[in-house]
Amino acid sequence: MRWRTTAMVAAVVMAAPLWALDDIHTLPSLDKLAQRAKESVDVTLDASMLQLASGFLSADDPDEMRVKKLVAKLKGIYVRSLEFDREGEYGASDVEGVRALVRAPGWTRIVGVKSLKGENSEVYVKKEGSQVGGIVVIDTEPKELTIVAIDGPIDPEELSELGGHLGIPKLGRGKTKAEKGSSKGDQ
Amino acid sequence: MKGEDERLAATATTNAAGVRETAGLPNFAEVVDRHKAMVFSILWHYLRDRTAAEEVAQDVFLELHRSWDAMKSAEHIVFWLRRVTSHRAIDCARRKRLHLETSLEATAEPTALERVHDSFLSSYLERMVASLPEKQRIVIVLRYQEGLELEQIADVLGIKISTVKTQIFRGLELLRAKTAQRLGRTVE
Amino acid sequence: MTPFEEQLKQAMARREPAEDFARRVLERADREGGQQAESGGRRVGGKRVWFSALSGWFHSPRVLRFSAAAALLAVSGGVVFQQHEQSERGEAAKEKLLTAVRIAGVKLRQVHRHVLEVETPEVEQ
């Protein structure tokens, strides 16, 4: 009977999530990559640091107030952005650790885009009822890798509203291939 | 100068606060309003501590209030404020043993971000200035915040013009080197 | 001026203190003016008569308060330094937060643009 109990406990433990979103900042593969990067940005803000930071946002600055509203309920923000001198400094296996985090239950890939220039982007969201409970963006370019993980309820629309502020380019709707083709035909 | 002092003294009256008001000089309240940004900003850029900057700024103006009798002209007041503020900034930093003069690597956030928006460079530069050695920091603040010429900086701080030149040169070299390192590009 | 110096000048732009700064300075100046009157010192030709000034000084409320203030100084010095450290940490955290939000916004924008423009979009629901 004892071995059955042990097996059951082990099964429960193994089934429980062994990771949390803040594990992104401790992934060994990213630390190794950072050592080879020409430039790296590493931001790790858990709930307490977010609260501290939020308290220093200026009430006189509308942009900073927008940020304050955006992050009010978040549990964490983690960013790893690495820029390399040459192409080929990292591969798919280096990013696999991050992808493993978002294969857990509750996460859904909502966008997967590949471009001919070798720029690939994936966006994952964690659904909690009708709300978004987290966002992960994995952006890979030949010489740049960026991972953004936002833990907590966030409104992607609010993040979009920052367009035109804080140095984030406004979203100008670019022409799709179909639109480009039809305009050529008009000539 | 002595003749001018006598002329100014003859036209002085004493207001309710016991401060002599001299014709031609603005009153104390006007001076505070007109120059509070200047005084506060020198302290802010030097100390990078808003609370400390406001406290010391208040002390500077109270010192001016106590020394009002000695003020000769509006220009003299500005000179006096810059001088006292600069010295108080240096004293305050030493007294608090603020560890602002640390390795710039320790203070700077890696900035792939500068490629996104140039305005971030401004706040980065502000922080870098605050981490310069004491003498370089104050001359850089007086030069680029107040737009003072080298001779004026030398007068305010009571040092030689050659010293001002050297400190500005060294300060700029250090700022350029660290900025270029972070941005990964040559800075003119 | 070189472009770098122009950028530095921009970074060194003056900032305003708190809105009530001037009011607080004038209030303190008024209080000090009143305390000078209480001290009993007389101004004669701009100079105090030294013995009346000295007597006034000893009886000055300021001197009496000084002793108590000195005792508090050691404690308050530590508190002020802690406040300074907290302020430094907070400002650094704020910079990191703004960095993270900028990068997140830029990347989401790029993804949206890719969805509109790239050859092989796979947009899933």
Side-chain angles (χ1 to χ4, degrees):
Chain A
M1 282 297 287
R2 194 176 290 178
W3 70 263
R4 273 194 198 165
T5 309
T6 308
M8 282 171 62
V9 168
V12 168
V13 166
M14 287 175 68
L18 295 175
W19 62 273
L21 206 56
D22 62 358
D23 283 346
I24 278 176
H25 82 280
T26 60
L27 287 173
S29 57
L30 292 180
D31 284 339
K32 279 185 192 164
L33 281 181
Q35 287 165 17
R36 295 206 298 271
K38 180 175 75 173
E39 276 191 37
S40 73
V41 177
D42 182 359
V43 176
T44 301
L45 295 167
D46 60 14
S48 62
M49 287 302 288
L50 277 176
Q51 197 177 13
L52 177 67
S54 205
F56 280 80
L57 291 169
S58 170
D60 299 328
D61 188 325
D63 289 346
E64 292 188 13
M65 283 297 100
R66 284 188 190 93
V67 172
K68 188 166 187 157
K69 190 182 162 202
L70 190 74
V71 306
K73 293 176 189 170
L74 294 186
K75 298 173 204 166
I77 295 181
Y78 311 95
V79 173
R80 296 298 291 264
S81 184
L82 306 170
E83 188 185 348
F84 302 94
D85 276 322
R86 294 177 296 274
E87 295 184 18
E89 288 284 343
Y90 73 95
S93 58
D94 294 308
V95 192
E96 184 50 34
V98 179
R99 291 204 178 88
L101 296 180
V102 291
R103 277 201 284 269
W107 287 91
T108 308
R109 189 173 87 152
I110 58 166
V111 172
V113 181
K114 294 178 187 176
S115 80
L116 293 180
K117 290 182 240 175
E119 296 167 5
N120 301 331
S121 304
E122 296 163 85
V123 179
Y124 299 81
V125 297
K126 185 178 179 185
K127 292 278 182 66
E128 287 178 350
S130 60
Q131 281 198 324
V132 172
I135 292 179
V136 168
V137 178
I138 302 174
D139 184 73
T140 59
E141 296 175 23
K143 292 187 194 175
E144 190 174 319
L145 167 65
T146 301
I147 296 158
V148 175
I150 299 175
D151 189 7
I154 185 157
D155 184 349
E157 286 297 319
E158 279 184 15
L159 196 52
S160 299
E161 276 169 21
L162 287 171
H165 304 280
L166 288 175
I168 301 168
K170 272 188 180 164
L171 180 64
R173 190 176 182 281
K175 287 187 176 178
T176 61
K177 190 184 174 198
E179 288 167 328
K180 283 177 191 168
S182 64
S183 63
K184 274 185 187 171
D186 287 341
Q187 293 170 0
Chain B
M1 190 59 92
K2 197 179 173 187
E4 192 187 341
D5 287 348
E6 285 169 350
R7 182 180 62 77
L8 288 171
T11 57
T13 56
T14 304
N15 67 16
V19 173
R20 296 217 303 187
E21 289 181 331
T22 306
L25 274 187
N27 68 41
F28 180 69
E30 279 173 4
V31 166
V32 173
D33 202 55
R34 198 178 296 172
H35 299 302
K36 63 186 187 220
M38 175 185 79
V39 170
F40 173 76
S41 297
I42 290 173
L43 291 160
W44 161 252
H45 285 129
Y46 194 88
L47 300 171
R48 291 287 297 180
D49 178 341
R50 197 172 180 92
T51 308
E54 287 206 354
E55 275 175 22
V56 178
Q58 278 197 37
D59 289 344
V60 167
F61 281 111
L62 290 172
E63 183 67 35
L64 174 67
H65 183 250
R66 290 189 279 270
S67 308
W68 195 258
D69 284 356
M71 294 302 117
K72 298 181 176 65
S73 65
E75 292 74 26
H76 182 210
I77 289 172
V78 173
F79 172 82
W80 188 99
L81 282 172
R82 282 178 177 147
R83 166 175 270 195
V84 171
T85 304
S86 300
H87 288 297
R88 288 289 180 100
I90 295 169
D91 290 344
C92 181
R94 283 179 188 164
R95 210 166 47 240
K96 289 178 185 289
R97 291 193 176 89
L98 292 179
H99 296 295
L100 290 176
E101 293 182 25
T102 56
S103 154
L104 293 181
E105 282 82 6
T107 55
E109 185 66 27
T111 56
L113 184 65
E114 270 81 342
R115 295 179 284 112
V116 176
H117 199 313
D118 271 349
S119 70
F120 195 70
L121 177 59
S122 281
S123 75
Y124 174 84
L125 277 174
E126 256 192 311
R127 281 181 286 135
M128 291 303 101
V129 167
S131 67
L132 289 173
E134 179 182 287
K135 283 181 186 160
Q136 291 170 24
R137 200 185 323 162
I138 194 63
V139 297
I140 292 282
V141 170
L142 291 174
R143 175 85 172 138
Y144 294 100
Q145 177 194 305
E146 291 301 299
L148 298 188
E149 298 299 330
L150 304 185
E151 297 81 4
Q152 291 174 302
I153 297 172
D155 280 342
V156 165
L157 297 178
I159 58 179
K160 294 180 193 172
I161 295 178
S162 55
T163 308
V164 173
K165 276 187 196 170
T166 306
Q167 296 305 328
I168 287 181
F169 176 79
R170 285 183 188 162
L172 285 178
E173 282 299 295
L174 203 52
L175 289 174
R176 275 200 191 95
K178 290 303 173 184
T179 308
Q181 180 189 335
R182 287 300 169 195
L183 294 180
R185 63 171 192 244
T186 307
V187 179
E188 295 171 24
Chain C
M1 237 185 225
T2 64
F4 181 74
E5 286 177 284
E6 289 290 344
Q7 191 81 47
L8 187 52
K9 193 175 156 189
Q10 216 177 338
M12 293 283 107
R14 284 185 185 172
R15 293 173 180 237
E16 290 290 332
E19 274 183 21
D20 62 345
F21 176 84
R23 179 185 57 76
R24 282 185 277 134
V25 167
L26 296 174
E27 278 173 6
R28 278 181 69 182
D30 281 344
R31 277 203 300 275
E32 273 198 9
Q35 283 166 5
Q36 278 186 348
E38 283 171 15
S39 74
R42 278 190 309 127
R43 286 186 176 274
V44 177
K47 294 180 187 172
R48 290 179 179 226
V49 177
W50 69 270
F51 54 84
S52 64
L54 199 59
S55 166
W57 188 82
F58 273 117
H59 287 93
S60 162
R62 255 197 285 179
V63 174
L64 295 173
R65 281 197 290 271
F66 181 79
S67 313
L72 287 172
L73 199 61
V75 173
S76 65
V79 169
V80 166
F81 187 69
Q82 275 180 2
Q83 284 174 345
H84 159 73
E85 283 208 320
Q86 180 78 347
S87 175
E88 285 284 306
R89 278 179 44 233
E91 290 287 343
K94 170 186 148 180
E95 293 294 335
K96 286 187 181 183
L97 173 60
L98 293 176
T99 298
V101 169
R102 282 195 187 100
I103 292 177
V106 164
K107 288 303 167 187
L108 282 173
R109 281 280 170 279
Q110 282 178 0
V111 169
H112 199 155
R113 199 175 60 240
H114 286 169
V115 168
L116 294 173
E117 291 175 0
V118 300
E119 296 285 328
T120 55
E122 305 164 27
V123 180
E124 302 164 42
Q125 291 298 325

